[in-house]
Amino acid sequence: MSGALVRKEWREHRGAWLLFGVLFGPALFLLSWWQSARLSWGSPFEGLRLPTVALTTVGAFFVAHRLVVGEYGQRTQLFLESLPLSRARILTTKLVFGAVVLLLPLLVHLGVLAYQARNSEDVPLSFLLLLLLRTGTVVMLGWSLLALSGLLGRYRFPLLLLLLVALFLADHLSQFDITRAAPLQLLGRDLAFERHRVPWRALGICWALGSAMTLLGFGLVLFRDGTLTELLSQRMSHREKVFIASILTGLLSMAAAMAEEKQREPFVLNEAERAAVGSSTLQVASGVGFPPERARALAQRLARNLGTFGDYLALERMPAVAVMPNTGLDADVFQRAKLEKKDGVVIRAHLAAPDFDEDAFEAFLFREVLIELSDGIVQRERRQWLLDGFTTWWVNRSEPGRLSRGAAVGSREDVEEREWLSTRERLGPCVAGVVAARGIQVLRDRLGDAAFQSLMRRTLAFSPSTGFLGLWREPRLDSLLRELGESSEEEVGRLWRDALRADRAAHPEVLASLAMLHPTLSLVAESPETFRLEHGLSGGKGPDAPTRYALLYAKLEPFENEVEPHAFSRQDARVSPEGARLPLGLSRGDRWLFVMQVESAALRCPVRLLTRRGEVR
């Protein structure tokens, strides 16, 4: 910073500074008076908020135009650079001079408000310094942004417009709440009343952003001896205008399409039985073998249980739910439809099947509702066992014996909750849900009812955020456990494995009968490029031994992870020494997933005996 530069800025712009003081000073007091009159209660310092916003936006824009845009637009900075002055000193002088011009009216206004409040409340110096720190930080953040935009020359208006559009879209199309952003937190409702707590987090974010923009400004000025800022200060060509206008138009069109997609109407199923779930509607359609009377009874049951489920998790809203009968599905396979232009959860199931399990269907429905409400966040592998376990535990919480028996079957091999997608594929959705529900039981016993309910609400029923900020803000299980019950994720895992070990010890006959079954899969080459698959099941003895088994198979697409149950093709076969053959040729290089499973009436779940994923070679 140089005294000669300060005098130069004063002499060059003193008319503008005087006009700024004459016009902006009364405007600040009018804004303060209007806000104080509108808010007839509270502290006079409520009148500090709107003047701060005015200085941050209009005031900073005016100062940036005079000190930065005008200097580079009129090429007078070339004369300054010919003098024995560094570019860094020139920019430092401008930034400090602009900060003084903006902070001086704020300081005077704060002093006037303190004088007005002296008879109505105690005004210690520490409180005034806190107010100055909060409002001054916001003003300096706006000054840093607009000074940087001034150095961008002809691109400053498109980039500022792009920034405004991005903030608007983030606020309306995601869970980002702009009113909770750091600068607006500093000007929040507690501005005029908070006297002790310093909002260090919001201040730190603003200081970091302001420092980053200031450093970027110095980088622009110093890059290649200032030639970059000189080039940016030139007028925009016709091609640049057309190009930028095309980009902004495209972005606005895409934003409008995203907004329309975000605000889709709920799915409505015509000629369906309906039941209310809060402010939403649950719909069940009738069909072949499933008359309207049964559809009405199922709708009432699902609505009642879904409402209880939502109350337990304190769900703020409930999506539209539609259930449609489909005789082409197996009784234990449920399929969620993908909606392109509507919003809600639409599920197909073989509702008329004699062995249709309403409890399993409810667990699937509750799972899909939580996935819909969280935008899929609860499906992330580290937390998906909580999703599967809680929904299964919820529908079986009055029947713990089934969970113990199913957990014994599912834990024949080690269960790793951190690799839940692999566990879910190996065990199948039904048995994997039972194993996870056993972990939920352990978690509930360890924490107690109140803490367990709080944990489920914070991990399964939270409002999703987006982007890296949303990922950072997601609740972590280990930190929540330590907060609620002085436990840890490792300790819960150890207790869970102990419970599974006890379940295996309590049901040795179930494990022994499964251990006697020996599934086989083998590829037989028919040519250098084609193969056939032969499969069989042997070893079962006794009256409870299975007489039939099923082979599920699905061709894997590149980068495909989990295969949904409805995506499998199925071949049923008898248990015999000869085995069976898949009536489908396999080509070398294709990737397939094969599953062999038997039905278990005791578990009401198919038990997977073999799961193999790989490339045909």
Side-chain angles (χ1 to χ4, degrees), residues 20-36 44 46-60 101-110 112-113 116 139:
F20 177 79
V22 169
L23 296 180
F24 215 75
L28 292 180
F29 285 105
L30 286 176
L31 286 173
S32 175
W33 173 82
W34 176 80
Q35 188 174 31
S36 299
E46 287 283 349
L48 189 61
R49 187 177 293 108
L50 285 181
T52 302
V53 174
L55 285 170
T56 304
T57 53
V58 180
V101 170
L102 291 171
L103 289 178
L104 186 59
L106 181 67
L107 186 60
V108 172
H109 192 72
L110 179 60
V112 172
L113 291 178
Q116 293 176 350
V139 172

Side-chain angles (χ1 to χ4, degrees), residues 37-109:
R38 187 172 61 91
L39 300 173
S40 58
W41 53 271
S43 169
F45 293 105
E46 287 283 349
L48 189 61
R49 187 177 293 108
L50 285 181
T52 302
V53 174
L55 285 170
T56 304
T57 53
V58 180
F61 183 85
F62 177 81
V63 175
H65 182 77
R66 296 297 304 182
L67 290 178
V68 182
V69 178
E71 191 83 70
Y72 283 88
Q74 298 173 10
R75 302 293 191 274
T76 55
Q77 95 283 356
L78 297 178
F79 170 74
L80 293 178
E81 291 174 359
S82 65
L83 300 175
L85 295 171
S86 66
R87 296 179 179 85
R89 175 179 290 186
I90 296 173
L91 181 59
T92 302
T93 302
K94 290 181 176 295
L95 292 177
V96 174
F97 194 83
V100 171
V101 170
L102 291 171
L103 289 178
L104 186 59
L106 181 67
L107 186 60
V108 172
H109 192 72

Side-chain angles (χ1 to χ4, degrees), residues 357-606:
D357 189 343
E358 292 187 349
D359 289 340
F361 180 75
E362 280 191 7
F364 180 85
L365 171 62
F366 297 165
R367 182 179 188 271
E368 295 302 319
V369 165
L370 292 178
I371 292 172
E372 174 73 12
L373 294 177
S374 68
D375 291 338
I377 292 178
V378 292
Q379 281 186 294
R380 289 179 179 162
E381 189 167 16
R382 289 290 298 271
R383 70 169 70 231
Q384 192 173 147
W385 76 269
L386 292 169
L387 172 68
D388 293 346
F390 181 78
T391 52
T392 303
W393 169 81
W394 180 263
V395 300
N396 292 280
R397 60 191 187 280
S398 60
E399 193 179 353
R402 181 196 171 197
L403 294 182
S404 177
R405 190 162 47 246
V409 172
S411 62
R412 291 168 295 165
E413 300 180 21
D414 291 338
V415 175
E416 179 53 59
E417 66 274 10
R418 296 177 184 270
E419 299 177 0
W420 189 249
L421 292 179
S422 299
T423 302
R424 182 179 168 87
E425 180 179 284
R426 176 170 55 85
L427 300 179
C430 185
V431 175
V434 172
V435 172
R438 196 70 176 93
I440 293 294
Q441 280 184 327
V442 170
L443 192 58
R444 182 168 178 264
D445 294 340
R446 178 69 179 84
L447 296 179
D449 293 341
F452 171 76
Q453 184 179 16
S454 175
L455 177 66
M456 293 299 102
R457 289 179 175 181
R458 296 171 69 178
T459 54
L460 298 179
F462 62 94
S463 299
S465 301
T466 58
F468 292 104
L469 183 60
L471 182 63
W472 177 261
R473 288 179 175 175
E474 279 183 28
R476 301 300 191 268
L477 178 60
D478 192 68
S479 60
L480 291 178
L481 286 173
R482 296 182 185 278
E483 175 185 342
L484 293 172
E486 298 182 356
S487 184
S488 66
E489 197 170 355
E490 289 75 13
E491 182 181 359
V492 170
R494 178 181 58 79
L495 295 174
W496 185 7
R497 285 185 285 273
D498 292 342
L500 294 176
R501 191 179 303 112
D503 292 333
R504 292 194 297 271
H507 302 281
E509 70 286 352
V510 178
L511 301 180
S513 62
L514 291 176
M516 296 172 62
L517 300 177
H518 302 290
T520 58
L521 278 177
S522 59
L523 288 173
V524 179
E526 295 184 330
S527 73
E529 297 298 327
T530 60
F531 299 81
R532 70 172 184 269
L533 180 71
E534 296 180 350
H535 55 89
L537 181 64
S538 61
K541 297 179 181 179
D544 297 332
T547 59
R548 301 183 65 85
Y549 69 94
L551 174 70
L552 310 181
Y553 54 96
K555 187 175 181 180
L556 300 176
E557 299 296 331
F559 310 108
E560 185 172 4
N561 291 322
E562 185 177 11
V563 178
E564 298 293 338
H566 63 81
F568 282 103
S569 299
R570 176 172 177 144
Q571 180 188 14
D572 291 298
R574 292 185 176 276
V575 177
S576 64
E578 294 80 13
R581 174 182 173 181
L582 181 67
L584 179 69
L586 307 178
S587 301
R588 183 184 297 275
D590 290 342
R591 297 174 62 247
W592 289 82
L593 175 60
F594 299 106
V595 174
M596 292 182 63
Q597 66 181 30
V598 295
E599 298 296 329
S600 173
L603 299 180
R604 291 187 295 172
C605 277

Side-chain angles (χ1 to χ4, degrees), residues 156-174 176 178 244 247-259:
R156 64 186 183 279
F157 288 118
L159 291 176
L160 288 175
L161 180 60
L162 182 61
L163 177 62
L164 292 176
V165 171
L167 290 175
F168 176 81
L169 292 178
D171 184 58
H172 284 74
L173 301 183
S174 72
F176 172 74
I178 196 171
I244 291 176
I247 290 180
L248 292 177
T249 303
L251 290 175
L252 291 175
S253 301
M254 184 176 64
M258 292 173 61

